[in-house]
Amino acid sequence: MKRVYNFSPGPSVLPLPVLERAAVEMIDANHTGQSVMEMSHRSKDFTPIIEHTESLLRSLMGIPSNYTVLFLQGGASLQFSMVALNLAGIEMGSPRKKAVYIDTGIWARKAADEGAKYADVSIRASSKDRAYTYIPQAPVPDPADAYYHITLNNTIVGTKWTELPETGQVPLVADISSCILSEPLDVSQFGLVYAGAQKNLGPAGTAVVIIRKDLIGKAPSWTPAMLRYDIHVAEGSMYNTPPCYGIYIIGLVLEWLKDLGGVEAIARLNREKADLFYTYLESSKLFRSPVEKPCRSLMNIPFIPSGINPDRRKDMEARFIREAAEAGLVNLAGHRLAGGMRASIYNAMPKAGVEALIGFMERFEKKEG
Ligand SMILES: *Cc1c(COP(=O)(O)O)cnc(C)c1O
């Protein structure tokens, strides 16, 4: 068996023990004589699976009892619409509360653009002026604002919020797609958080939404049923067929994380891996991080060759990505809109993978230098 070190930003690496267990259970899960893929979502076989996944998520994240957990389809991107619709969707004649967004990158921008189709969006700060390489000062909202949206970890540019904005009574909403369960997070600071599964949780096709109960039931009457939190909540994520297999794999990933010691333990490991890589970048004569130090992500680390003329740089990047792949280090190209390279080192990336990448980069640097 050949396994590569996969630095993809998403879908991304999953823990090997999870894949091995899924393989064993593929045709007969829990002695049911069926694959999880074949089970009725309303059967006595599947119910314990979704309940187990939710209870593991609740205990690992310390989700308070006044929050509901949903497993939905449509990825993080559908949440861009659902958040705006459900928390600030404009009803005929109703007062227009502002939906506040902080623009920290392409995903944050998309969330705001999508939200603006249904709500009165107000972008109150942006880091676009310096190519999103930092997190801007977060202004205090007006108490009448509907919600305050941030992207906690910016997958493409490699920044993260290290301090949450003070929003008072205004619900803080966060896209936590690429940092969920990577470090402790106090859910009670938020009105709602959401994440697409394919970064740190499991396969693509499932989005996790954690919503404070008092925020449920505010969608305008014209909202499509599939986009209403209150309907999904009332039906326990089973208004229609949920992404059953994804929910099952998320459960296996959460068991793996629990056995590892939970979020505190993985956070220590994540800091170790990121420190190793950033320390190497600091010492490198060829590569550097474009991101300002205080807001560097633990999960997504872009890097660029420095002091090289643009023609040679493009060439060198292509060679780097090709030779790395030949060495079993794959998916290191930066986002198509950002360029350069990027190593995504999610929970499931072992420290040995980061060490192998650094070793490769040191050899590359010597050869090119
Ligand atoms: C990947 C990503 C998304 C998009 O996720 P989809 O599930 O593909 O819709 C949104 N926000 C962030 C921060 C992401 O990393």
Side-chain angles (χ1 to χ4, degrees):
M1 183 188 70
K2 176 178 168 257
R3 291 275 296 168
V4 293
Y5 286 122
N6 179 7
F7 296 92
S8 166
S12 43
V13 56
L14 286 167
L16 186 57
V18 166
L19 298 176
E20 285 170 340
R21 179 159 163 206
V24 168
E25 295 181 352
M26 176 57 77
I27 56 176
D28 180 11
N30 299 329
H31 309 290
T32 58
Q34 306 159 56
S35 166
V36 175
M37 265 185 261
E38 303 169 295
M39 287 175 185
S40 159
H41 57 294
R42 302 192 192 280
S43 67
K44 65 175 184 357
D45 299 320
F46 186 70
T47 307
I49 293 176
I50 189 168
E51 285 175 352
H52 184 57
T53 301
E54 175 173 340
S55 95
L56 279 169
L57 188 69
R58 281 187 174 277
S59 73
L60 283 165
M61 289 184 76
I63 300 171
S65 58
N66 61 326
Y67 287 73
T68 299
V69 175
L70 294 173
F71 298 99
L72 305 177
Q73 305 196 33
S77 297
L78 192 60
Q79 292 312 307
F80 299 166
S81 315
M82 285 181 74
V83 163
L85 260 168
N86 284 269
L87 304 189
I90 294 163
E91 187 85 77
M92 292 283 273
S94 80
R96 298 173 54 147
K97 283 184 156 197
K98 298 256 191 229
V100 177
Y101 284 77
I102 307 299
D103 173 28
T104 52
I106 291 157
W107 291 121
R109 190 79 209 187
K110 279 194 167 168
D113 287 349
E114 200 56 30
K117 295 175 183 170
Y118 312 107
D120 191 4
V121 161
S122 163
I123 297 178
R124 300 272 167 86
S126 171
S127 51
K128 193 167 185 206
D129 60 338
R130 296 207 297 277
Y132 295 122
T133 54
Y134 69 104
I135 297 290
Q137 196 67 39
V140 174
D142 184 319
D145 290 333
Y147 63 87
Y148 194 107
H149 182 282
I150 62 170
T151 310
L152 198 59
N153 183 76
N154 295 276
T155 322
I156 294 171
V157 286
T159 61
K160 71 160 187 171
W161 290 78
T162 48
E163 245 177 82
L164 297 179
E166 289 288 340
T167 63
Q169 290 306 300
V170 177
L172 182 60
V173 173
D175 179 350
I176 59 169
S177 292
S178 50
C179 59
I180 185 169
L181 291 165
S182 65
E183 287 185 286
L185 186 71
D186 180 0
V187 174
S188 74
Q189 299 289 304
F190 298 86
L192 185 155
V193 293
Y194 62 90
Q198 70 276 19
K199 316 287 166 66
N200 237 351
L201 282 178
T206 307
V208 169
V209 178
I210 303 168
I211 180 171
R212 210 173 63 210
K213 287 180 177 166
D214 62 288
L215 297 174
I216 298 164
K218 295 180 188 297
S221 52
W222 52 269
T223 308
M226 277 293 285
L227 302 185
R228 294 181 68 118
Y229 290 133
D230 54 354
I231 287 186
H232 288 294
V233 169
E235 302 287 336
S237 298
M238 295 209 199
Y239 169 68
N240 71 327
T241 316
C244 302
Y245 197 76
I247 293 166
Y248 155 74
I249 298 285
I250 293 173
L252 299 190
V253 170
L254 296 178
E255 271 184 44
W256 167 83
L257 184 55
K258 186 179 164 201
D259 290 346
L260 221 103
V263 178
E264 296 282 353
I266 201 78
R268 266 196 305 278
L269 193 62
N270 285 334
R271 276 183 224 117
E272 248 176 68
K273 291 186 297 182
D275 278 350
L276 259 180
F277 199 60
Y278 284 120
T279 303
Y280 161 69
L281 288 179
E282 290 304 312
S283 73
S284 169
K285 298 212 164 36
L286 183 57
F287 300 106
R288 69 177 181 87
S289 160
V291 175
E292 296 181 17
K293 256 188 193 162
C295 38
R296 288 178 175 175
S297 168
L298 295 184
M299 296 282 99
N300 311 97
I301 309 188
F303 53 98
I304 49 176
S306 57
I308 311 271
N309 80 49
D311 290 346
R312 204 174 144 233
R313 181 180 148 178
K314 243 192 150 146
D315 249 32
M316 179 188 287
E317 288 179 2
R319 201 161 53 247
F320 178 93
I321 289 158
R322 191 184 61 241
E323 288 175 17
E326 284 162 11
L329 308 162
V330 305
N331 292 321
L332 283 161
H335 189 271
R336 64 199 151 81
L337 297 175
M341 278 80 73
R342 171 181 46 168
S344 293
I345 52 173
Y346 295 116
N347 286 356
M349 172 58 66
K351 192 171 163 192
V354 177
E355 288 166 343
L357 176 59
I358 293 171
F360 170 81
M361 288 170 73
E362 284 169 342
R363 290 193 299 279
F364 188 86
E365 194 172 338
K366 237 178 230 152
K367 174 169 77 74
E368 298 282 327

